[in-house]
Amino acid sequence: MATLLHLDSAVSPQGSASRDVTAAFVQGWREQHPQGEVVYRDLAAAPLPHLTIAAVAAGAENALRAELAAELAAADAVLIGAPMYNFTIPSTLKAWLDHVIINGHNAGEDSPIKGRPFTVVASRGGSYATGTPREDFEFVQNYLEKVLNGMFGVEVDFIVPELTLAHTVPAMADLIPLAEASRAKAREEAAQKAKALAARLVA
């Protein structure tokens, strides 16, 4: 039996592209591996406190950090919903990272979760793809790739639904068909990747 740790961080529980796509991933995971476990944290509904100097000093002896690290260690795969807010990740997700990355315990060259598969749904209101005018404003994929791979040595895969503001920003109205196609593609990609990952982990 495999365990999936699922984190959502989008502020809105309704209409969120990242939540929609992570839900498609979880559905695909459950269809492929109904005996598997899904551990869920909604970081927006139940935000973690900012890291304090006392928590830093305590490391894995801090109760909350130990709980989060144990939850991560027990997961065979991790799914993260990471919408772009002001060109980067939500502060609630940053707080989770600050707590769960514990040097000398689970971070570094000998990380016990090295090679673990992480799937990140990195939704964004516009497009920040290579070659677009705002390419150099992309601090979600770049940051998460560096921090997750650099601190844990994990395998990071991204699913990127774009143009999510097309339905609400009048100047983007012409992009609504592209936005809908992007979300549909992301949902399908998420379901397929979840099934393939679950099959791989239980093989």
Side-chain angles (χ1 to χ4, degrees):
M1 183 182 78
T3 297
L4 174 69
L5 174 59
H6 172 197
L7 309 173
D8 273 328
S9 60
V11 170
S12 175
Q14 285 88 34
S16 163
S18 66
R19 287 177 182 269
D20 184 35
V21 177
T22 59
F25 188 101
V26 171
Q27 182 178 345
W29 172 278
R30 292 189 189 279
E31 288 175 0
Q32 180 67 35
H33 186 36
Q35 299 82 20
E37 183 179 2
V38 178
V39 176
Y40 182 60
R41 274 191 181 270
D42 188 332
L43 298 173
L48 300 168
H50 289 298
L51 194 63
T52 64
I53 186 59
V56 171
E61 299 303 314
N62 175 270
L64 176 58
R65 301 189 79 191
E67 176 188 349
L68 296 171
E71 197 171 73
L72 177 59
D76 298 287
V78 180
L79 170 66
I80 300 175
M84 178 184 280
Y85 291 162
N86 299 319
F87 307 121
T88 189
I89 64 172
S91 62
T92 52
L93 178 55
K94 180 60 165 60
W96 180 83
L97 289 166
D98 288 342
H99 280 288
V100 82
I101 297 171
I102 307 174
N103 288 311
H105 178 70
N106 61 6
E109 290 186 6
D110 299 321
S111 172
I113 64 167
K114 188 174 183 177
R116 201 81 41 100
F118 277 59
T119 303
V120 178
V121 177
S123 61
R124 61 277 315 272
S127 180
Y128 299 80
T130 302
T132 62
R134 287 197 163 185
E135 174 185 354
D136 60 347
F137 284 77
E138 205 296 300
F139 301 109
V140 174
Q141 285 178 262
N142 287 335
Y143 171 69
L144 289 175
E145 169 67 30
K146 297 294 187 295
V147 73
L148 293 172
N149 183 267
M151 300 304 290
F152 293 134
V154 298
E155 168 192 320
V156 188
D157 186 39
F158 289 95
I159 300 171
V160 186
E162 294 190 316
L163 308 173
T164 62
L165 290 177
H167 288 85
T168 57
V169 176
M172 295 178 66
D174 290 347
L175 299 175
I176 288 176
L178 290 176
E180 292 178 346
S182 180
R183 184 182 290 208
K185 179 183 176 183
R187 284 179 55 84
E188 179 61 26
E189 185 180 356
Q192 291 178 355
K193 287 187 174 184
K195 290 178 181 180
L197 181 58
R200 185 182 108 192
L201 291 174
V202 300

